Amino acid sequence: MTRLAVPKTYKLYIGGAFPRSESGRTYEIVSAKGAFLANAAKASRKDARDAVVAARAAVGGWSGATAYNRGQVLYRIAELLEGRRAQFVAEIVDAEGVSAAAANAQVDTAIDRWVWYAGWTDKYAQVAGNANPVSGPYFNISVPEPTGVVAIIAPQDSSLLGLVSAVAPALVAGNTVVVVASETLPLSAISLAEVLATSDVPKGVVNVLTGSPAEIAPWLASHQDVNALDLVGAGALDWIDLQIAAADTLKRVLPPENGPDAAAPSLDRITAFVETKTVWHTKGLI
Amino acid sequence: MSFLEYAPAPESQAILNLRSEYGLFIDGEFREGHGTPFASISPATEKHVATIAHADASDVDAAVAAARRAYDRTWSRMSGANRGKYLFRIARLVQERSRELAVAESLDNGKPIKESRDVDVPLVAAWFFYYAGWADKLDHVGLGAAPAPLGVAAQVIPWNFPLLMLAWKIAPALAAGNTVVLKPAETTSLTALLFAEIVQQADLPPGVVNIITGAGETGAALVGHGDVDKVAFTGSTSVGRAIAKQVAGTSKKLTLELGGKAANIVFDDAPIDQAIEGIVNGIFFNQGHVCCAGSRLLVQESIHDEVIDRLKTRLSTLRLGDPLDKNTDIGAINSAEQLERIRELSDVGEAEGAERWTAACTIPENGFWYAPTIFTNVSTSHRIAREEIFGPVLSVLTFRTPAEAIAKANNTPYGLSAGIWTDKGSRILAVADKLRAGVVWANTFNRFDPSSPFGGYKESGYGREGGRHGIAAYLKTAAPAAAVAPAPARKTVSKGATK
């Protein structure tokens, strides 16, 4: 007699915990071949707001951590992903209907992307900031700082890599994230959340919502306590409306991107979510 | 005459050679606008200064078309070295005509001549000089090799530093290889038009710099124009929001320098004489018409009374009056409309329970004036602690601990600037780290330099002007960007003139 499998319940990831949607809603996730995979939580407006509260609460600790520490935490995500790669490969094969080789390649790239961004935490400020030779007796320095809470609509055609490519760069500077996963491919996002929960990422630094981006995105775009909006995966939504909503609080906004190169690794993705602070220090006249 | 009274020492207006009417500056020459011309007056006397052309949508079209031609045919193809040499020429011409520009600025804007002469105009020259040198060094901006200009830049500037804001906008744009259409504020067009003459003297290729005058709808038409690649705006947060909405869904790059409600934090160990001067400079410089003004004084409770007493004594020595008088400290409020706003918010301050003190000074009969005013006993919930007054009005709040000072300083939707006064270096560094503001002045205030990035957090806008960051805002990397998704077809994006 074959053993009966124990399927996983996929829930949201908010503030380091895995709650169901407060709305009680789920929606069915099917494989590329149409077979039932799981019921994912369908996040509501309130879940999105809870996620923002959790993200805001985490800003102080994460942005206040040393760059060296953040780098190690991000690197540890790569370590844990490496150890659980088989699970992700299987999930991607099921969900996307791709070959094991293609799924392996996606996981490889996702892991390597964490490593690449982990290495930026203690370098980007040296590249993006500078000392300024002002005309006067002042020491003047410009330093980039995280903007705060970043809401992300993840690329919709990718299980893992798109999500990692959008989330990792936002974390480098010390921002915290509320990410809406791919609507049809959300399971790897929750599995990644399990990796985050068991690595050293403080609770609230990454919050993952599954469900309908069209339903959730407007609440994030207009939320007063969200500082930036990454619309990378919002190409199929009414994203101009989202930009207009974001303008009410003058959020920093990245536009949608299409294709396999969406959210390609770049320093720009890090500096899109930083603020440059310039401090003038009077030099004593001795 | 007491020792604090001075005989009048007005700067001569003889150096000015103003025309009675100014046209729009498009494609290298002045031409008439299609809108109804309007008068520019001196806010100190309400006397007519010049008649200014009013650009309508067709004029905006013409200006953008001229900028596009100049971009395609001349400016984007020119070597960086030559672009830089044009900018160096402009810097020198500004220096040569600096007295004339300062007089014109004080006449038209109402700011004291000592400020226009010693701050505004020297910084204008410095800005062009600084960015001139960048033009042939763009590989080192930090965007990789051979970064590309954006194209035609639409630039809309405010009335508080008319010529300086023009320099902040035009110098980096041109150095990067863009061409520009700039709209000065309705009440302060004059120095921009004198600058157009400088552009002619520099023999800049026609269309590289276009200056169109008018009011809000002219600016909206320019920002919304379909052939504009970059929008740069300095002004109020409400207009900034409207612009962000207007360009939503387009590929236009946007930088916004908006309002502020800066905290100027004075700790009990501050060098008190310098702090008093810094507080005065922070809020009464340029009549408080400064987006980064230190309009909220956060003073440690233990030294509150001493600071306020000394502040009142110092303010009683400030001379309010003729902007062209070299001894004037406080000039005219820029417009009747702005004066009304200052009065209204000040009245609200009193009504909400704050205690008002106004320096005793004689208010001239004509013109728009507001005597330096301090509100004490202000709470964080008062409108005068939350809203930008944009006038010579200081709201004073107190704190007991550094943590409270930081919390109060950050308790605002704005995040443009802040000040810290303390003799303790480690406290400066720790507090500066925690302030959510784009510019922090430690034991100084309201310092500006072309090499120093300036710009806000949160609702004070985004992007930086000045320094390497300032020119990066006018460039894109040579590598093709990831394909940006096309806009859904269902809605019209731009509300202004389109081609």
Side-chain angles (χ1 to χ4, degrees):
Chain A
M1 191 174 154
T2 55
R3 179 178 172 277
L4 194 62
V6 181
K8 181 161 84 185
T9 305
Y10 288 85
K11 298 191 280 188
L12 306 175
Y13 182 54
I14 298 174
F18 290 90
R20 292 190 167 83
S21 169
E22 61 80 33
S23 65
R25 300 177 307 174
T26 59
Y27 68 115
E28 191 174 289
I29 305 300
V30 296
S31 74
K33 294 177 183 135
F36 173 79
L37 290 176
N39 288 312
K42 188 169 186 185
S44 66
R45 172 179 68 173
K46 184 165 189 311
D47 293 320
R49 289 175 173 172
D50 289 347
V52 173
V53 170
R56 172 59 61 192
V59 168
W62 184 239
S63 64
T66 64
Y68 179 39
N69 179 242
R70 277 201 309 278
Q72 289 182 81
V73 170
L74 296 185
Y75 180 76
R76 183 156 169 78
I77 298 169
E79 290 178 338
L80 268 69
L81 263 182
E82 190 81 47
R84 291 175 59 166
R85 56 179 307 127
Q87 175 194 353
F88 284 94
V89 168
E91 267 178 2
I92 291 169
V93 167
D94 281 348
E96 298 187 19
V98 296
S99 68
N104 261 300
Q106 185 177 155
V107 175
D108 286 349
T109 310
I111 293 170
D112 292 352
R113 202 146 290 177
W114 280 115
V115 173
W116 192 75
Y117 279 118
W120 266 117
T121 57
D122 50 6
K123 295 163 197 73
Y124 90 95
Q126 289 179 309
V127 176
N130 33 248
N132 307 306
V134 296
S135 319
Y138 304 98
F139 170 63
N140 178 303
I141 188 164
S142 293
V143 179
E145 293 183 345
T147 191
V149 175
V150 181
I152 300 172
I153 311 302
Q156 295 292 300
D157 50 4
S158 161
S159 299
L160 180 66
L161 181 58
L163 183 84
V164 170
S165 301
V167 171
L171 298 178
V172 168
N175 296 295
T176 62
V177 163
V178 175
V179 60
V180 183
S182 164
E183 183 167 15
T184 56
L185 305 168
L187 301 187
S188 295
I190 296 304
S191 296
L192 178 69
E194 293 163 10
V195 169
L196 300 175
T198 52
S199 67
D200 298 324
V201 182
K203 67 178 185 180
V205 169
V206 180
N207 303 276
V208 183
L209 302 174
T210 56
S212 161
E215 179 191 340
I216 304 166
W219 301 112
L220 294 172
S222 63
H223 198 295
Q224 296 266 350
D225 212 18
V226 170
N227 299 92
L229 182 64
D230 184 353
L231 294 173
V232 59
L237 309 181
D238 290 331
W239 59 268
I240 296 175
D241 282 347
L242 297 175
Q243 282 198 352
I244 290 170
D248 265 326
T249 47
L250 292 157
K251 291 182 177 65
R252 290 78 177 112
V253 180
L254 282 186
E257 295 175 29
N258 281 340
D261 283 341
S266 74
L267 179 62
D268 287 352
R269 284 212 147 256
I270 299 172
T271 56
F273 303 123
V274 304
E275 309 289 340
T276 298
K277 177 186 283 176
T278 299
V279 186
W280 295 65
H281 301 268
T282 298
K283 285 182 185 172
L285 297 170
I286 50 173
Chain B
M1 189 185 281
S2 83
F3 78 102
L4 287 174
E5 285 174 37
Y6 286 64
E11 180 71 49
S12 169
Q13 293 185 49
I15 198 166
L16 290 181
N17 185 21
L18 299 181
R19 311 176 200 184
S20 62
E21 287 180 29
Y22 282 90
L24 311 173
F25 184 68
I26 295 175
D27 217 6
E29 55 190 32
F30 286 96
R31 59 169 81 168
E32 284 182 20
H34 291 90
T36 310
F38 58 97
S40 196
I41 62 165
S42 165
T45 59
E46 300 176 60
K47 282 186 185 155
H48 182 89
V49 173
T51 301
I52 310 287
H54 194 157
D56 73 358
S58 71
D59 297 317
V60 171
D61 266 345
V64 173
R68 175 62 60 190
R69 275 195 306 278
Y71 178 76
D72 289 341
R73 296 179 190 170
T74 315
W75 201 246
S76 66
R77 300 177 178 200
M78 188 182 288
S79 71
N82 280 347
R83 283 201 313 274
K85 282 158 86 174
Y86 276 115
L87 292 175
F88 280 123
R89 274 191 196 178
I90 291 173
R92 283 299 196 220
L93 286 160
V94 168
Q95 288 176 329
E96 286 160 16
R97 296 178 63 170
S98 60
R99 187 55 57 93
E100 174 195 357
L101 292 168
V103 171
E105 196 76 302
S106 284
L107 179 68
D108 197 35
N109 166 280
K111 66 173 65 198
I113 185 76
K114 72 174 184 187
E115 290 180 13
S116 52
R117 182 195 62 204
D118 297 345
V119 180
D120 292 54
V121 176
L123 278 174
V124 171
W127 231 270
F128 279 99
F129 212 90
Y130 175 80
Y131 279 109
W134 265 121
D136 55 358
K137 300 168 191 69
L138 300 182
D139 287 354
H140 304 282
V141 166
L143 299 171
L150 303 174
V152 174
Q155 306 179 315
V156 179
I157 58 172
W159 46 260
N160 56 342
F161 295 92
L163 192 62
L164 182 56
M165 291 299 105
L166 174 149
W168 283 31
K169 294 283 179 286
I170 292 183
L174 262 49
N178 305 275
T179 57
V180 307
V181 180
L182 176 130
K183 192 198 85 71
E186 187 184 6
T187 59
T188 55
S189 309
L190 192 62
T191 46
L193 296 162
L194 295 182
F195 180 80
E197 295 176 1
I198 287 176
V199 165
Q200 288 180 322
Q201 289 183 335
D203 202 22
L204 202 68
V208 172
V209 170
N210 305 275
I211 292 168
I212 57 171
T213 43
E217 67 271 24
T218 306
L222 175 59
V223 166
H225 197 287
D227 202 28
V228 157
D229 303 295
K230 158 85 187 182
V231 174
F233 171 75
T234 296
S236 73
T237 290
S238 62
V239 175
R241 268 191 203 105
I243 290 175
K245 290 179 185 181
Q246 203 180 354
V247 306
T250 71
S251 57
K252 292 172 190 173
K253 280 185 78 169
L254 178 62
T255 42
L256 298 170
E257 300 284 0
L258 308 176
K261 192 73 190 176
N264 202 358
I265 306 170
V266 182
F267 288 97
D268 59 6
D269 67 343
I272 204 76
D273 292 334
Q274 288 91 331
I276 296 296
E277 288 309 304
I279 295 164
V280 171
N281 174 265
I283 184 62
F284 300 112
F285 174 64
N286 201 32
Q287 297 77 244
H289 300 331
V290 184
C291 48
C292 53
S295 52
R296 284 186 298 153
L297 176 64
L298 297 185
V299 58
Q300 197 149 13
E301 208 173 82
S302 52
I303 56 165
H304 172 270
D305 293 352
E306 185 194 355
V307 166
I308 298 304
D309 285 348
R310 295 178 70 150
L311 205 49
K312 287 176 179 173
T313 306
R314 179 67 182 93
L315 291 183
S316 300
T317 68
L318 293 181
R319 285 176 286 272
L320 177 146
D322 181 7
L324 288 171
D325 191 309
K326 293 166 206 166
N327 293 321
T328 292
D329 298 302
I330 307 284
I333 300 301
N334 181 253
S335 66
E337 187 190 0
Q338 185 58 28
L339 179 59
E340 188 46 45
R341 177 168 168 76
I342 296 167
R343 282 180 176 151
E344 185 197 318
L345 269 169
S346 299
D347 291 347
V348 168
E350 216 161 9
E352 288 187 336
E355 202 173 306
R356 179 182 194 151
W357 178 89
T358 296
C361 48
T362 314
I363 301 292
E365 212 164 290
N366 296 316
F368 318 125
W369 309 91
Y370 203 85
T373 296
I374 303 175
F375 278 101
T376 48
N377 205 16
V378 177
S379 315
T380 46
S381 60
H382 287 169
R383 278 181 67 192
I384 54 169
R386 310 198 63 79
E387 296 180 29
E388 189 174 35
I389 299 173
F390 222 63
V393 181
L394 179 66
S395 301
V396 184
L397 298 93
T398 59
F399 67 91
R400 290 183 178 175
T401 63
E404 187 188 355
I406 290 162
K408 283 185 167 166
N410 289 338
N411 182 11
T412 167
Y414 294 116
L416 189 52
S417 66
I420 306 169
W421 297 86
T422 171
D423 250 351
K424 195 168 176 182
S426 59
R427 182 181 283 155
I428 290 174
L429 294 169
V431 173
D433 257 6
K434 291 200 156 47
L435 292 173
R436 303 290 291 163
V439 185
V440 178
W441 287 290
N443 293 331
T444 183
F445 210 94
N446 274 345
R447 300 287 154 212
F448 308 97
D449 192 278
S451 72
S452 178
F454 181 96
Y457 284 39
K458 299 192 281 184
E459 295 188 18
S460 289
Y462 35 76
R464 292 292 177 269
E465 292 182 295
R468 186 173 63 80
H469 298 71
I471 195 163
Y474 286 92
L475 289 166
K476 57 189 173 191
T477 50
V484 171
R490 63 171 186 85
K491 70 193 315 173
T492 311
V493 172
S494 63
K495 294 178 185 118
T498 46
K499 296 195 78 178

